Amino acid sequence: MSMTMRTVSVLLLAPLAACATVPAATTSAPSADLAANPSAGMQYLYGSGEGAAISVQAWHALLGYVAAKVKARPADSVVLEEGATLDAPKFEPCGDRPFAAVFDVDETVMLNTGYEYHAARTGQGWNEADWGAWEKTGEGAVGPVPGADHVLAALRKLGVTVIFNTNRSVANADATARAIKAAGLGDAVHGQTLYLSGDDAMGSRKDGRRWTISGKYCVIAMGGDQLGDFSDLFNAGQPVSARRAATMQLPIAGLWGNGWFVLPNPVYGSGLKGGFDDVFPMDRRWAPPAAGGGK
Ligand SMILES: [Mg+2]
């Protein structure tokens, strides 16, 4: 066993309970007319053991995968190249470029606990003004997604450059780097290891930034809580059911847990869509037999 693998084994066994703590929000007692409890999604993501465990599980899988790839030196990165399709994916060749892993930030490596507290307490949905203020001032009320802080540190020890590709605004680059640091996730340098919305002309679409990163690095793993963190091709306006089917169809299906790693987010984002006909197919419907019926 090489030193590298020994290091990985030790890190995999390291107690994740040592994750940086999330600072308490500095807010007075809630008033009585507000919701008694946060939403189910918030309970799961920010409060539950199940939510923490599934996150740690994803991070452990990612670390094991990356450790193996560092030894194997893959020919291709896990970034889809320009012109690729989901039916016929082609990947950026690696050449001899150094290794990197690319991660979304919000609810992938960092929990926006303070912002979601505000959203839950006020009952307001997401709004641009509050989110912008949060990007600028939230560094005291963030924490790592469980497992992310340990595993990002382990990736760096393996010689893999950790790069953040987020749709936070380029105008708030410095504050976002401070928040990443405050969450225990290490350093992020704009233009080197931090890419933001506004870095190019593609807005919130991340493919262009992925291609820029791929020009400098062999990207051996990506992590995200939204499918757009892997490819913009998932956000071409497909119906809910078609989008889901695209994730389950080979060869794309083979990437989950093998280069592409998904973190849970039941609180917001592109996964929270669909009416009854989207969510419950006609051939999977059931109702209890009417009283006296079926006997
Ligand atoms: Mg995210």
Side-chain angles (χ1 to χ4, degrees), residues 80-98:
L80 292 177
E81 65 179 24
E82 199 162 3
T85 65
L86 293 176
D87 291 334
K90 294 182 79 175
F91 297 90
E92 293 275 348
C94 275
D96 57 1
R97 291 189 285 279

Side-chain angles (χ1 to χ4, degrees), residues 25-286:
T26 52
T27 310
S28 56
S31 53
D33 58 338
L34 294 166
N37 289 311
S39 68
M42 289 181 182
Q43 289 174 327
Y44 187 90
L45 190 61
Y46 303 112
S48 78
E50 286 83 351
I54 196 172
S55 297
V56 172
Q57 180 172 276
W59 285 109
H60 275 173
L62 185 144
L63 179 55
Y65 175 87
V66 167
K69 285 295 165 183
V70 164
K71 293 181 75 175
R73 175 47 76 182
D76 288 339
S77 100
V78 297
V79 172
L80 292 177
E81 65 179 24
E82 199 162 3
T85 65
L86 293 176
D87 291 334
K90 294 182 79 175
F91 297 90
E92 293 275 348
C94 275
D96 57 1
R97 291 189 285 279
F99 293 127
V102 177
F103 301 103
D104 170 52
V105 172
D106 297 308
E107 276 58 48
T108 293
V109 296
M110 187 162 79
L111 293 180
N112 290 292
T113 311
Y115 180 82
E116 296 301 338
Y117 172 83
H118 166 75
R121 274 302 185 205
T122 61
Q124 295 172 1
W126 187 91
N127 70 85
E128 196 167 343
D130 280 354
W131 181 261
W134 167 250
E135 285 192 7
K136 292 185 178 75
T137 66
E139 66 191 76
V142 295
V145 166
D149 48 348
H150 286 264
V151 169
L152 294 191
L155 295 180
R156 293 183 178 109
K157 282 187 181 174
L158 289 170
V160 176
T161 299
V162 171
I163 297 178
F164 304 102
N165 184 9
T166 172
N167 277 335
R168 287 181 173 225
S169 169
V170 68
N172 300 325
D174 291 348
T176 290
R178 287 198 305 274
I180 289 169
K181 184 85 172 177
L185 301 165
D187 292 322
V189 179
H190 184 206
Q192 297 178 31
T193 53
L194 175 62
Y195 290 78
L196 301 120
S197 181
D199 279 346
D200 62 22
M202 293 180 71
S204 64
R205 287 178 292 149
K206 293 183 169 181
D207 277 348
R209 284 174 260 155
R210 278 186 282 267
W211 295 329
T212 297
I213 295 163
S214 293
K216 302 173 188 170
Y217 291 95
C218 172
V219 178
I220 52 177
M222 293 196 288
D225 65 306
Q226 312 284 323
L227 294 186
D229 297 330
F230 304 94
S231 171
D232 292 336
L233 295 171
F234 291 112
N235 294 333
Q238 302 98 323
V240 169
S241 59
R243 195 165 177 270
R244 182 171 169 93
T247 68
M248 296 189 290
Q249 190 169 329
L250 289 170
I252 291 296
L255 288 160
W256 309 117
N258 288 303
W260 292 4
F261 294 82
V262 185
L263 281 299
N265 188 353
V267 174
Y268 65 85
S270 54
L272 303 186
K273 277 183 184 168
F276 274 89
D277 286 352
D278 299 305
V279 175
F280 298 106
M282 293 302 292
D283 63 348
R284 305 282 169 85
R285 294 186 174 188
W286 179 88

